[in-house]
């Protein structure tokens, strides 16, 4: 029984749209997080002094501190972006799809 | 019966606490790694309140734990927000509070890099695996790995992978618990380990996932609250000026301005990348973390829970960084916190203690007592999650699916899971006592390395790659498991420090770069070469599996109570 539902879902054009759109968003956001994190790690490994520059005239904090904090905060905000679209627009697409393909 | 056991466990703990009170000679015959301190009554009272409260919850949860689904996943009835807090409670272990803050205390910016690395896995979990975990799995990680592959073989492998991670992580937590409690509460190491083991077994066997979840939620709230208050006190000490705090830290630390930039800890790029791969992808392969995604009713709540969890975890990690930085000045220049009052010498209680000393310096004995109780609660919450994940691998995967081939009744399966959690409790206590004098730091790297090398490749490829076959998953997974263990055994942490050989054979500290890559490679090559009839069927089954993982059609729903 369920195999028939799965087959019907696969043939539905909206399934392709959902998978493509959500997949693209997940890919872009993952790439953003991984590229910025591994970019940071590469600077740590190969040019650590770049992160050791003072944040401003006469300051002790270095630019590494806000950059590191930004990696944590921005990647958390990106989980908010993903949840917003996946739980809004894409969830609606999914619900429509389930309605259309149910018996 | 249940009530008697809860009451029994509570009185056992009170007795243990009181017996240490009554025994004035305990300090003299103790030779453990951490120095035992005087009894801290605030800590013990606060901890007893926590234990009583959580045992009450366990009693309440026990009445609601009727089916296997209740036991393993709280019937899927946990909301996204609750689960987010529970995930945070599962992930923010005592090791993160104590270990990461002390890393910042001793190395400055390098510690901050570790903190970031421990965090980055979370967004990746949301984007790549969270909703698929929820849609495909029911009780365990093996449900997903074996979805379209050979049930007996892949389930057995996935259960072994889970149990290996659980056992190593349990050792880390038990040894940490014993030393921490000995230090903070003035209890004997063995007594502390037994208390943790007994409570863990009581929570898990009687309250199952419902009790475990609430223990984790309460602990997360306590830890976030305690950490934030300490963070505010620390900031207030420096007039809410972070740069002033940094300037004072530079003036107090023997490395001076060097603590504000990346230093020697991650100087070797290979080790740095290897470490980060293990932390980022190992997080997604931890069985007790994966299990949390089965406790919510649907993919929507699963996503919400990661958003909530990563918010709390990220906030807490930033607080931990501030605490470590503040401790450099406040703890690092106060002779009270050094052995013999010699500033710059050995920290009283060992290298993990700066944040506890910071609590005492800023909030006095009362606050220290509170934070000690929170640290104890933290360990309990983490070991309970681990024990439940391990017990479900034994009862659901190995017993019900592999040995009984799905013919076991729910009652039989639950009975086995309770016996399994009891057995895991005993094992954890025995291992905790055996490893008392060992340096277990390498086990954290090993745990994440195995999770990233054995569990993660099979998990991600089973969800994303049509070509994966049973043979590929088994060969690749085992390659990852074995190579991760071998790399760690041959590395400095075990080969030189534990086995006392002159030089390490594997030159890097962390295995993941090599073992995870190897696991992916072997899985893909063996799967590609697999021309068996079953491999054809397994590839064909991917499209249907993908519909379920994308839409949740056919996924197990929440059980109404």
């Amino acid at each position: 029984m369920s195999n028939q539902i799965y087959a019907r879902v696969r043939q539905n054009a909206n399934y392709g749209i959902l998978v493509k759109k959500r997949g693209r968003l997940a890919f872009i956001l993952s790439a953003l997080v991984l590229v910025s994190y591994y970019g940071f790690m590469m600077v740590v490994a190969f040019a650590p002094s770049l992160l050791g520059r003072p944040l401003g005239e006469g300051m002790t904090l270095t630019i590494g501190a806000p950059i590191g904090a930004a990696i944590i905060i921005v990647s958390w905000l990106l989980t908010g972006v993903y949840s917003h679209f996946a739980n809004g627009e894409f969830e609606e697409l999914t619900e429509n799809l389930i309605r259309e393909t149910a018996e | 019966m249940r009530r008697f056991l809860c009451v029994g466990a509570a009185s056992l703990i009170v007795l243990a606490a009181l017996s240490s009170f009554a025994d004035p000679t305990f300090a003299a015959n103790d030779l453990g790694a951490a120095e035992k301190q005087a009894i801290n009554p605030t800590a013990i009272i606060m901890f007893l309140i926590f234990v009583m409260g959580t045992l009450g919850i366990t009693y309440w949860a026990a009445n609601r734990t009727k089916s296997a689904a209740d036991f393993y996943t709280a019937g899927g009835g946990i909301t996204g927000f609750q689960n987010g807090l529970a995930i945070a409670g599962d992930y923010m272990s005592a090791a993160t509070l104590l270990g990461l803050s002390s890393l910042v205390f001793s190395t400055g910016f390098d510690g901050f890099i570790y903190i970031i690395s421990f965090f980055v896995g979370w967004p990746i979990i949301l984007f790549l695996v969270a909703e698929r975990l929820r849609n495909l799995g029911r009780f365990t990680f093996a449900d997903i790995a074996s979805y379209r592959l050979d049930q007996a073989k892949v389930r057995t492998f996935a259960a072994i992978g889970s149990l290996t991670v659980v056992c190593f992580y349990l050792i880390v937590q038990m040894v940490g618990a014993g030393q921490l409690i000995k230090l903070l509460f003035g209890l004997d190491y063995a007594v502390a380990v037994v208390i943790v083991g007994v409570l863990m077994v009581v929570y898990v066997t009687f309250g199952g996932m419902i009790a475990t979840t609430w223990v984790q939620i309460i602990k997360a709230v306590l830890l976030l609250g305690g950490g934030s208050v300490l963070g505010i006190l620390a900031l207030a000490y420096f007039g809410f000026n972070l740069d002033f705090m940094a300037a004072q830290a530079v003036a107090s630390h023997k490395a001076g301005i060097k603590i504000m930039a990346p230093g020697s800890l991650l100087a070797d790029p290979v080790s740095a990348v290897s470490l980060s791969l293990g932390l980022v992808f190992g997080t997604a392969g931890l069985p007790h973390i994966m299990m949390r995604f089965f406790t919510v009713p649907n993919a929507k709540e699963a996503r919400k829970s990661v958003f909530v969890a990563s918010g709390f975890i990220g906030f807490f990690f930033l607080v931990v960084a501030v605490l470590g930085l503040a401790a450099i000045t406040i703890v690092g220049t106060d002779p009270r916190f050094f052995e013999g009052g010699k500033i710059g010498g050995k920290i009283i209680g060992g290298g993990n203690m700066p944040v506890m000393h910071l609590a005492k310096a800023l909030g006095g004995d009362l606050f220290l007592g509170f934070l000690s109780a929170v640290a104890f609660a933290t360990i309990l919450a983490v070991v309970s999650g681990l024990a439940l994940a391990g017990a479900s691998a034994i009862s659901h995967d190995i017993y019900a699916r592999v040995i009984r081939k799905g013919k076991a009744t729910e009652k039989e399966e639950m009975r086995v899971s309770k016996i399994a959690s009891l057995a895991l409790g005993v094992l954890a206590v025995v291992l905790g006592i055996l490893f008392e004098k060992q340096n277990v730091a390498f086990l954290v790297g090993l745990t994440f390395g195995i999770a990233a090398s054995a569990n993660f490749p099979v998990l991600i490829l089973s969800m994303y790659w049509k070509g994966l076959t049973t043979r590929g998953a088994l060969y690749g997974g085992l390659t990852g498991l074995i190579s991760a263990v071998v790399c760690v055994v041959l590395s400095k942490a075990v080969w030189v420090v534990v086995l006392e050989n002159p030089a390490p054979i594997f030159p890097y500290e962390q295995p993941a770069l090599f073992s995870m890559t190897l696991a992916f490679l072997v899985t893909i090559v063996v799967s590609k070469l697999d021309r068996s009839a079953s491999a054809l069927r397994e590839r064909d089954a991917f499209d249907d599996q993908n519909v379920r993982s994308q839409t949740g059609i056919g996924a197990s729903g929440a059980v109404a109570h």
Side-chain angles (χ1 to χ4, degrees):
Chain A
M1 181 235 34
S2 66
N3 282 350
Q4 285 168 10
I5 294 185
Y6 287 148
R8 275 206 300 282
V9 171
R10 274 206 304 278
Q11 280 148 16
N12 192 310
N14 284 331
Y15 175 67
I17 294 173
L18 168 74
V19 169
K20 207 173 152 190
K21 272 189 158 177
R22 194 170 56 198
R24 194 164 52 200
L25 180 68
F27 177 80
I28 292 171
L29 295 180
S30 306
L32 270 176
V33 171
L34 289 176
V35 166
S36 55
Y37 169 67
Y38 279 102
F40 176 78
M41 291 302 280
M42 286 302 115
V43 178
V44 166
F46 294 107
S49 57
L50 279 183
L51 294 168
R53 287 197 205 151
L55 200 51
E57 191 77 30
M59 284 182 78
T60 315
L61 279 179
T62 50
I63 55 169
I67 290 176
I71 290 179
I72 291 183
I73 294 166
V74 170
S75 39
W76 174 64
L77 290 176
L78 293 182
T79 66
V81 171
Y82 183 81
S83 301
H84 174 78
F85 287 107
N87 280 354
E89 189 188 330
F90 300 147
E91 191 65 20
E92 233 167 80
L93 265 175
T94 312
E95 276 164 23
N96 289 340
L97 189 64
I98 293 172
R99 242 196 324 275
E100 283 167 23
T101 49
E103 255 107 349
Chain B
M1 161 79 178
R2 269 197 293 269
R3 171 178 281 165
F4 281 125
L5 272 155
C6 284
V7 171
S11 31
L12 181 80
I13 285 144
V14 176
L15 266 178
L18 290 179
S19 68
S20 288
F21 261 126
D23 175 15
T25 59
F26 64 80
N29 8 346
D30 193 81
L31 295 163
E35 188 183 326
K36 198 151 79 174
Q37 299 291 295
I39 296 275
N40 183 333
T42 332
I44 291 186
I45 290 166
M46 287 190 190
F47 178 69
L48 284 179
I49 294 172
F50 173 83
V51 169
M52 294 301 172
T54 47
L55 286 177
I57 286 171
T58 307
Y59 181 71
W60 164 80
N63 289 324
R64 290 166 165 255
T65 304
K66 295 191 178 76
S67 65
D70 294 333
F71 181 78
Y72 293 126
T73 64
I78 306 287
T79 70
F81 185 80
Q82 290 167 345
N83 194 41
L85 265 177
I87 291 174
D90 226 346
Y91 195 65
M92 303 182 301
S93 63
T96 50
L97 174 69
L98 303 176
L100 291 177
S101 61
S102 75
L103 213 49
V104 175
F105 174 80
S106 54
T107 65
F109 196 83
D110 280 347
F112 191 40
I113 298 170
Y114 265 79
I115 289 178
I116 298 165
S117 305
F118 266 102
F119 179 77
V120 175
W122 282 102
I124 302 304
I125 287 179
L126 172 65
F127 305 149
L128 299 183
V129 299
E131 62 200 50
R132 290 168 193 241
L133 273 175
R134 178 60 193 87
N135 286 340
L136 289 175
R138 191 155 168 243
F139 295 153
T140 62
F141 146 65
D143 288 341
I144 298 147
S146 68
Y147 189 84
R148 67 189 155 95
L149 305 182
D150 184 285
Q151 284 286 314
K153 289 179 190 157
V154 175
R155 245 182 221 284
T156 309
F157 160 73
I160 290 172
S162 299
L163 283 168
T164 314
V165 172
V166 164
C167 285
F168 284 130
Y169 218 36
L170 269 178
I171 298 177
V172 176
Q173 298 293 334
M174 292 308 265
V175 173
Q179 287 172 351
L180 187 71
I181 293 162
K182 178 162 89 175
L183 182 84
L184 298 173
F185 291 77
L187 295 180
D188 225 31
Y189 178 90
V191 174
V193 167
V194 170
I195 291 178
V196 172
V198 169
L199 283 172
M200 167 181 109
V201 170
V202 170
Y203 293 148
V204 172
T205 44
F206 296 106
M209 184 52 103
I210 302 177
T212 304
T213 302
W214 283 101
V215 169
Q216 284 167 347
I217 290 175
I218 294 170
K219 161 259 158 128
V221 170
L222 288 174
L223 188 59
L224 283 164
S228 308
V229 171
L230 190 56
I232 291 170
L233 289 175
L235 283 169
Y237 185 91
F238 296 98
F240 292 97
N241 183 340
L242 209 55
D243 192 54
F244 180 56
M245 185 192 279
Q248 292 294 307
V250 167
S252 317
H253 200 286
K254 63 176 183 295
I257 191 71
K258 282 193 186 140
I259 60 165
M260 298 309 295
S264 56
L265 198 60
L266 295 152
D268 165 24
V270 176
S271 288
V273 170
S274 200
L275 169 84
S276 65
L277 284 176
L279 293 182
V280 172
F281 298 108
T283 307
L286 295 174
H288 62 298
I289 297 287
M290 288 191 263
M291 195 174 188
R292 290 238 51 94
F293 290 102
F294 310 133
T295 65
V296 289
N298 50 45
K300 194 174 174 177
E301 296 298 310
R303 292 182 200 111
K304 213 186 280 173
S305 54
V306 186
F307 174 65
V308 171
S310 50
F312 283 125
I313 295 169
F315 168 75
F316 181 71
F317 278 13
L318 289 174
V319 171
V320 164
V322 171
L323 296 180
L325 187 64
I328 294 176
T329 307
I330 299 174
V331 177
T333 58
D334 190 334
R336 276 188 299 166
F337 303 124
F338 290 91
E339 281 178 13
K342 242 175 63 193
I343 291 176
K346 270 188 164 169
I347 300 263
I348 290 180
N352 273 334
M353 284 300 120
V355 76
M356 288 296 163
H357 295 320
L358 185 71
K360 187 180 163 81
L362 293 173
D365 275 330
L366 196 70
F367 196 69
L368 173 67
F370 170 71
L371 210 62
S372 308
V374 171
F376 200 167
T378 287
I379 290 166
L380 275 178
V382 175
V383 293
S384 302
L386 284 169
L388 192 56
S392 62
I394 295 172
S395 59
H396 180 64
D397 295 328
I398 294 181
Y399 172 75
R401 297 286 151 150
V402 177
I403 296 179
R404 299 291 303 274
K405 301 197 165 38
K407 292 198 188 81
T409 66
E410 206 159 299
K411 220 173 158 187
E412 287 173 319
E413 186 177 334
M414 278 176 77
R415 216 188 52 184
V416 172
S417 69
K418 290 181 180 194
I419 297 169
S421 40
L422 187 64
L424 279 169
V426 173
L427 183 73
V429 169
V430 171
L431 288 173
I433 290 172
L434 279 180
F435 277 77
E436 178 182 356
K437 304 278 161 46
Q438 298 289 333
N439 180 351
V440 293
F442 71 91
L443 284 177
V444 179
L446 180 60
T447 307
F448 277 82
I450 291 175
S453 315
N455 298 351
F456 179 71
V458 174
L459 176 76
I460 201 89
L461 290 175
S462 72
M463 287 172 167
Y464 279 88
W465 188 44
K466 188 174 176 157
L468 179 71
T469 70
T470 298
R471 208 178 289 169
L474 283 182
Y475 279 89
L478 283 174
T479 305
L481 180 63
I482 294 166
S483 58
V485 174
V486 168
C487 283
V488 170
V489 169
L490 297 182
S491 76
K492 193 177 150 218
V494 179
W495 196 250
V496 180
V497 177
V498 179
L499 299 175
E500 296 174 350
N501 288 298
I505 296 175
F506 178 70
Y508 306 107
E509 303 268 312
Q510 301 291 336
L513 176 59
F514 306 93
S515 52
M516 187 173 112
T517 316
L518 199 62
F520 269 111
L521 220 75
V522 171
T523 313
I524 291 170
V525 169
V526 173
S527 295
K528 287 239 180 219
L529 293 175
D530 191 351
R531 303 249 182 269
S532 60
S534 59
L536 276 176
R537 275 199 308 279
E538 287 160 6
R539 291 185 194 111
D540 282 343
F542 178 79
D543 289 335
D544 278 354
Q545 177 199 313
N546 200 32
V547 172
R548 174 163 162 178
S549 78
Q550 297 274 2
T551 61
I553 294 173
S556 53
V559 184
H561 281 284

